[in-house]
Amino acid sequence: MTKTSAFPDVTPPTPEKRPVFDTHHGITRTDDYAWLRADNWQEMFRDPALLDAGIRAHLEAENAYQSKLMADTADLRKRLFKEMKGRIKEDDSSVPMKDGPYAYGSSFKLGGEQPRYFRMPRDGGAQHILLDGDAEAEGKAYFRLGGVDHSADHGKLLWAFDDKGSEFYTLRVRDLSDGKELADTVPDTGGSGVWNAGNDGFFYTRLDPSHRPSKVLFHALGQDPASDRLIYEENDPGFFMNVGGTRSNEWIMVAINDHETSEYRLLNAGEPFAEPKLVAARETGVQYEMEEGGDIFFILTNADGAKDFKIMTAPASDPIRANWQELVPHEAGRLILSVIGFKNHMVRLERKEGLPRIVVRDRATGEEHLISFDEEAFSLGLSGSLEYDTEIMRFTYSSMTTPAQVFDYNMRTRERVLLKTQEVPSGHEPEHYVTRRLMAPAADGELVPVSLLYHRDTPLDGSAPCLLYGYGSYGITVPAAFNTNWFSLVDRGFVFAIAHVRGGKDKGYGWYDDGKRAYKMNTFTDFIACARHLVAERYTVHDRIVAQGGSAGGMLMGAVANMAPDCFGGMVAEVPFVDVLTTMLDASLPLTPPEWPEWGNPIASADDYRTIAAYSPYDNVAALGYPPILALAGLTDPRVTYWEPAKWVARLRERKTGDNPVLFKINMESGHAGASGRFSRLEEIAYTYSFALKVTGKATGPQG
């Protein structure tokens, strides 16, 4: 087992117990640490200075405790940070994307934390900086840019920022002729906006005090935001909402959805005062997405039992459900992920047999062709184009050993042009590393994919430490992509592994269905099966596996810690969603109603209550020999509120057996995404990696 001598003997904070009781479906629970939730949490997210002094004192005591336990890793963290920073091209720049007379892109300056947005003449020339994120962030403890969108006439820039970490974004408008801000300042938005056809106003979502995007409004430039016209209001708190546009600037789309149902309303971009028209009324379990196609819309949907989705078309003049016609039929096991329409082509990104692929369709002939790749496991990204009437579209490619490559692709001639390969300034030799895909047998006979990355010299005799990463919720697939940070572990002898557990869409939509609600336990047992398979195949041993996951992946960490603590030598839970039952019982929290389709509604359903209660990490902490655990959080996080990990850590310390410590590090100046700058974020990663190295005995030595 892990040697507890890795950590000094320091007394951890012990918060006071103040029992609170709740009863649902005849079941009563006691929560001794409910007081760690600030009564004024909504106001505190906007102004952290309003946090209750007693709660602040406890959180600061937690930071002091973890700081003492990790003090001996200070030099290691500096080396890790220097390594990871050395793999980043500090003055990196995107490949500009053409739009009309210009090409638009983003870049970083040497030492810069925030991106800069620029444009240049379409066919080359000097860059002109439109927005400098570092200049905007100056003097702020936290700063994150949201959406940045130029108007179709290229005269103005609409941009958003959050300077609290609470994800309430403010929208501003910049005149690109002189670089000056207009007086228009719109607060409390979702972080982006869409220009109307006249370029004299924009549509945006307004967040309510509970952080729900409940309204779409139109702001006319020069007008008081308080008088902005209401376009649509969503009264069901269980649905998310956002507003977007099309590249042809013809349409404004109001997209409304939860995790299993969707609805669209359309508005002509030239008629901002018209009523948006309903496309197809929401029907539980039916999802659809709209994409422009000139006189038609392409519609990606799972309607009529198309579990892995199909593509329909509908006339743009009247795209109601009755007018949908099938274009690409449903094929079981081929999950269509996204569609982009062009004047003469349609492109789709899909996943089959666990791997992504791009399919290009000639709209006139119906002929299709694949863009093919050689490696066994890889990641694809479909960037598309800023223009609709073009033959050129863009995509990205990488693998766990191959740095990201950016290609422009001519959909007519099929010519592929490599525009950029991700630079690793400190050097990278792909042939020094091995990437593999294993299939771990789950208890019910399913095979769970595991992506591996390790150095070719790493001994595969069971002696190597392993970082096993997992997520497994919302249908999100963790790609087998290139990540320069991982090499700080891999070069120290680690096997880096990604467990593609149920709850993601790694093996199709059914893989997601089989890891949600009543079947959520599969996510956890799959992860444990992956750990055991890695040991059985002699990649590692159990007390050298450090498990890592964030947000819903942090819930995965908490659940497997309760179910199989002896399978792991350490755990890193970032912004962990660990108090699932309490949160799903509280309809006032920002994300609770929209989350019921994912987890179940324990208020309305006794069965859902029992299902969640069976795995909710906070509710299942017991007298077990847990491995060392590191929890990380952000004070102003509206997604996973800080009190979830704070309560979980307190209960773990109260109930666990043995001497392994539980550490809680909370960033008092950030939210869900952690530190806002690219280098500040690297410092956080260096901290978690130093913990992994420490608990596996690799923090010292010639490479450490």
Side-chain angles (χ1 to χ4, degrees):
M1 292 299 290
T2 303
K3 294 179 175 61
T4 56
S5 59
F7 294 94
D9 185 11
V10 180
T11 303
T14 307
E16 179 185 352
K17 289 186 178 183
R18 303 178 194 171
V20 172
F21 305 93
D22 73 88
T23 301
H24 293 270
H25 310 293
I27 303 169
T28 298
R29 295 186 308 151
T30 305
D31 189 347
D32 291 322
Y33 305 110
W35 66 271
L36 288 169
R37 166 180 161 161
D39 292 336
N40 65 338
W41 59 269
Q42 290 173 320
E43 293 80 10
M44 189 276 295
F45 281 174
R46 296 169 183 264
D47 184 1
L50 298 175
L51 180 64
D52 173 82
I55 298 174
R56 180 178 295 276
H58 174 68
L59 298 179
E60 289 175 346
E62 288 284 9
N63 272 340
Y65 173 70
Q66 56 83 12
S67 182
K68 290 177 183 176
L69 265 63
M70 294 291 287
D72 62 342
T73 65
D75 289 341
L76 172 61
R77 298 202 301 266
K78 289 176 183 176
R79 290 198 297 276
L80 291 167
F81 173 78
K82 184 178 180 181
E83 287 173 12
M84 291 188 284
K85 186 177 180 182
R87 299 190 195 103
I88 294 176
K89 188 173 186 289
E90 285 202 46
D91 55 350
D92 201 9
S93 177
S94 69
V95 181
M97 192 173 278
K98 296 177 180 180
D99 187 17
Y102 298 104
Y104 290 83
S106 63
S107 64
F108 287 91
K109 62 186 176 186
L110 283 172
E113 291 270 16
Q114 302 287 342
R116 302 180 301 177
Y117 291 85
F118 68 85
R119 73 180 177 193
M120 59 194 296
R122 179 182 180 94
D123 295 317
Q127 292 184 4
H128 175 64
I129 301 297
L130 307 178
L131 180 69
D132 185 336
D134 285 312
E136 301 299 333
E138 193 170 345
K140 295 180 169 67
Y142 180 93
F143 184 83
R144 187 178 296 275
L145 286 168
V148 178
D149 184 31
H150 61 273
S151 56
D153 63 2
H154 306 279
K156 291 176 284 292
L157 192 75
L158 179 63
W159 63 284
F161 69 90
D162 167 24
D163 58 7
K164 296 286 191 302
S166 57
E167 299 182 39
F168 284 95
Y169 284 85
T170 298
L171 282 168
R172 298 298 311 271
V173 179
R174 179 165 295 187
D175 187 329
L176 295 182
S177 65
D178 58 13
K180 294 181 179 178
E181 298 296 326
L182 302 187
D184 305 77
T185 301
V186 183
D188 300 339
T189 78
S192 63
V194 185
W195 290 101
N196 68 336
N199 303 299
D200 56 3
F202 55 85
F203 301 85
Y204 66 95
T205 54
R206 168 75 54 79
L207 303 183
D208 66 18
S210 294
H211 207 273
R212 294 177 181 136
S214 57
K215 295 178 180 179
V216 171
L217 297 104
F218 176 73
H219 175 75
L221 294 183
Q223 300 298 308
D224 183 351
S227 63
D228 287 353
R229 177 179 179 264
L230 178 66
I231 300 298
Y232 180 75
E233 182 170 9
E234 177 53 53
N235 293 313
D236 188 336
F239 280 78
F240 302 101
M241 182 168 62
N242 63 72
V243 61
T246 57
R247 284 161 294 139
S248 62
N249 302 305
E250 290 185 40
W251 300 99
I252 300 298
M253 299 181 176
V254 178
I256 306 159
N257 67 281
D258 63 12
H259 293 297
E260 62 182 14
T261 304
S262 52
E263 179 178 279
Y264 271 76
R265 293 170 186 266
L266 291 177
L267 192 69
N268 189 298
E271 301 174 9
F273 298 106
E275 289 295 319
K277 293 183 179 179
L278 176 65
V279 176
R282 67 193 70 173
E283 180 182 334
T284 300
V286 175
Q287 301 176 49
Y288 67 98
E289 295 180 14
M290 308 284 292
E291 168 64 11
E292 68 180 317
D295 59 350
I296 65 169
F297 283 108
F298 296 107
I299 301 170
L300 176 63
T301 182
N302 67 348
D304 309 311
K307 190 167 190 174
D308 287 321
F309 290 79
K310 60 183 176 179
I311 301 173
M312 313 288 279
T313 62
S317 58
D318 191 17
I320 61 171
R321 176 84 177 266
N323 292 335
W324 293 6
Q325 293 187 324
E326 187 173 272
L327 180 69
V328 179
H330 173 251
E331 180 184 310
R334 178 196 65 187
L335 178 63
I336 304 177
L337 299 166
S338 62
V339 176
I340 300 181
F342 297 92
K343 183 177 180 181
N344 297 313
H345 297 88
M346 182 197 73
V347 180
R348 67 180 186 266
L349 177 65
E350 59 188 35
R351 184 177 296 111
K352 189 170 183 178
E353 296 175 352
L355 291 175
R357 63 187 193 181
I358 294 172
V359 184
V360 179
R361 181 185 182 96
D362 185 303
R363 290 181 60 178
T365 66
E367 181 185 3
E368 294 187 348
H369 68 271
L370 287 172
I371 302 177
S372 59
F373 304 92
D374 297 330
E375 292 188 84
E376 286 184 23
F378 52 85
S379 173
L380 286 179
L382 191 55
S383 307
S385 169
L386 292 176
E387 299 178 316
Y388 173 72
D389 185 1
T390 180
E391 295 180 343
I392 306 297
M393 70 91 177
R394 185 168 294 175
F395 68 88
T396 58
Y397 170 88
S398 78
S399 77
M400 294 177 83
T401 59
T402 306
Q405 298 175 317
V406 180
F407 293 90
D408 265 357
Y409 184 80
N410 189 303
M411 296 175 281
R412 179 179 57 83
T413 67
R414 306 188 185 185
E415 180 186 11
R416 185 187 307 185
V417 178
L418 176 62
L419 302 175
K420 177 184 176 181
T421 297
Q422 178 183 354
E423 289 185 50
V424 183
S426 60
H428 174 69
E429 302 291 342
E431 65 273 14
H432 289 180
Y433 303 94
V434 179
T435 183
R436 289 200 58 198
R437 176 159 287 203
L438 307 180
M439 301 301 284
D444 61 359
E446 284 284 2
L447 295 176
V448 185
V450 185
S451 297
L452 296 184
L453 172 70
Y454 53 90
H455 196 282
R456 66 183 183 187
D457 295 334
T458 297
L460 302 180
D461 57 3
S463 64
C466 172
L467 191 139
L468 178 60
Y469 183 87
Y471 188 76
S473 292
Y474 306 116
I476 292 173
T477 298
V478 180
F482 190 73
N483 187 322
T484 57
N485 297 330
W486 296 343
F487 294 97
S488 283
L489 292 179
V490 170
D491 286 346
R492 287 174 169 82
F494 265 72
V495 173
F496 190 96
I498 302 170
H500 301 279
V501 296
R502 277 174 278 190
K505 293 176 185 168
D506 306 71
K507 294 177 71 174
Y509 201 88
W511 202 244
Y512 172 36
D513 274 345
D514 288 345
K516 64 188 286 196
R517 295 195 70 157
Y519 304 103
K520 189 63 205 169
M521 200 66 78
N522 286 334
T523 302
F524 316 132
T525 54
D526 281 0
F527 191 83
I528 295 166
C530 290
R532 289 178 172 153
H533 188 64
L534 287 168
V535 172
E537 294 295 306
R538 294 185 60 76
Y539 284 96
T540 187
V541 289
H542 283 298
D543 64 4
R544 308 205 79 182
I545 299 177
V546 178
Q548 182 184 22
S551 197
M555 175 195 65
L556 169 62
M557 297 299 102
V560 300
N562 292 329
M563 294 169 65
D566 57 341
C567 273
F568 307 98
M571 291 193 144
V572 178
E574 299 178 282
V575 289
F577 179 35
V578 283
D579 195 8
V580 186
L581 187 55
T582 303
T583 296
M584 288 298 103
L585 286 166
D586 187 351
S588 75
L589 289 172
L591 293 183
T592 292
E595 297 288 284
W596 286 330
E598 179 78 14
W599 315 108
N601 183 344
I603 301 173
S605 166
D607 286 343
D608 286 352
Y609 184 101
R610 283 189 285 269
T611 296
I612 297 171
Y615 67 76
S616 177
Y618 185 60
D619 291 277
N620 289 280
V621 173
L624 298 169
Y626 292 95
I629 293 175
L630 170 62
L632 302 104
L635 180 63
T636 55
D637 186 348
R639 299 171 186 261
V640 177
T641 49
Y642 74 86
W643 56 83
E644 291 205 24
K647 291 166 51 179
W648 179 55
V649 165
R651 184 172 279 183
L652 278 166
R653 291 209 195 104
E654 174 199 345
R655 297 186 179 178
K656 72 180 181 65
T657 61
D659 298 323
N660 286 331
V662 181
L663 290 71
F664 182 33
K665 185 176 189 290
I666 179 165
N667 189 327
M668 302 296 280
E669 296 173 336
S670 80
H672 193 68
S676 56
R678 57 173 178 162
F679 298 135
S680 300
R681 179 60 183 147
L682 288 184
E683 289 175 347
E684 293 186 344
I685 296 170
Y687 181 94
T688 61
Y689 283 5
S690 69
F691 174 84
L693 289 160
K694 185 177 176 69
V695 299
T696 55
K698 301 286 280 189
T700 58
Q703 297 181 70

